[in-house]
């Protein structure tokens, strides 16, 4: 199967159920801002996270993330996600739940790291590429970007 078919769009859930996260990530430089006009959708995201290392006082490592997503229509949603990494097969398990603006703000206060970015979606058939561009201090974009895609299983045909 072609590389394009590896990026099946899996919309961010917030159902409180544990899901195995299988994700491909690519980093690169993006300098053609005119190409963004071809995106099928754009949303702005602000996210903050607390990383939790594996120690002798817990059962595993992971992170706690909270994200505020604003669509181009102005709709806002807040999702808190707990992610853990299982020793067997290095599987990543995530549990996303809806939260509130107050919940978002509370975790933001505690988090040592965060980011503000715009996500642009580019569908190709039934495949959607999600391109994240990070906001720089001047209000434009950094040239470095991230393209990621989640798949339902590790072996994608």
């Amino acid at each position: 199967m072609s590389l394009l078919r590896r990026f099946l769009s899996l919309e961010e859930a917030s159902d409180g159920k544990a899901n195995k996260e299988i994700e491909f990530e690519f980093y690169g430089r993006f300098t053609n801002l005119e190409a963004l006009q071809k995106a099928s959708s754009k949303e702005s995201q602000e996210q903050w996270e607390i990383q939790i290392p594996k120690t002798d006082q817990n059962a595993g490592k992971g992170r706690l993330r909270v994200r505020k997503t604003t669509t181009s229509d102005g709709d806002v949603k807040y999702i808190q996600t707990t992610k853990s990494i299982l020793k067997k097969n290095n599987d990543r398990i995530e549990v996303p739940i809806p939260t509130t603006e107050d919940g978002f703000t509370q975790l933001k206060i505690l988090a040592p790291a965060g980011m503000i970015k715009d996500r642009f979606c580019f569908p190709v058939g039934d495949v959607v590429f999600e391109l994240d561009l990070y906001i720089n201090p001047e209000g434009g974009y950094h040239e470095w970007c991230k393209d990621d895609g989640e798949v339902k299983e590790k072996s994608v045909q």
Side-chain angles (χ1 to χ4, degrees):
M1 177 173 258
S2 74
L3 180 62
L4 290 176
R5 305 245 346 135
R6 292 180 186 243
F7 293 98
L8 305 176
S9 175
L10 300 178
E11 186 175 328
E12 184 174 32
S14 60
D15 56 12
K17 295 182 180 180
N19 301 298
K20 188 183 292 187
E21 180 186 39
I22 305 168
E23 184 174 66
F24 293 94
E25 294 180 355
F26 299 95
Y27 295 88
R29 289 176 56 192
F30 187 83
T31 57
N32 183 4
L33 296 178
E34 290 180 15
L36 298 176
Q37 296 174 7
K38 296 179 182 180
S40 65
S41 65
K42 173 192 170 192
E43 60 186 28
S44 297
Q45 297 181 345
E46 178 180 353
Q47 68 183 48
W48 296 88
E49 80 174 30
I50 299 170
Q51 296 209 10
I52 303 160
K54 168 67 179 108
T55 69
D56 59 354
Q57 297 175 353
N58 63 18
K61 67 180 178 177
R63 56 192 173 148
L64 184 61
R65 180 189 74 201
V66 67
R67 179 183 283 166
K68 172 186 177 182
T69 301
T70 306
T71 66
S72 57
D73 295 335
D75 293 331
V76 178
K77 68 178 177 179
Y78 300 93
I79 298 179
Q80 179 177 310
T81 304
T82 305
K83 297 184 176 205
S84 59
I85 299 175
L86 302 180
K87 189 172 185 177
K88 183 179 178 185
N89 298 328
N90 213 26
D91 284 341
R92 297 187 294 177
I93 304 299
E94 63 178 20
V95 178
I97 58 171
T99 191
T100 62
E101 182 176 5
D102 288 344
F104 172 84
T105 301
Q106 189 72 7
L107 195 85
K108 178 179 176 176
I109 290 168
L110 299 173
M115 66 182 74
I116 299 173
K117 62 186 177 178
D118 286 338
R119 174 168 285 173
F120 295 87
C121 296
F122 296 91
V124 179
D126 61 347
V127 177
V128 178
F129 291 91
E130 296 177 338
L131 178 68
D132 291 343
L133 296 178
Y134 302 91
I135 311 297
N136 66 29
E138 295 78 37
Y141 295 118
H142 289 283
E143 66 179 339
W144 292 99
C145 65
K146 177 179 149 190
D147 185 6
D148 65 32
E150 290 187 33
V151 294
K152 293 184 179 187
E153 54 190 60
K154 286 183 181 179
S155 62
V156 177
Q157 299 287 327

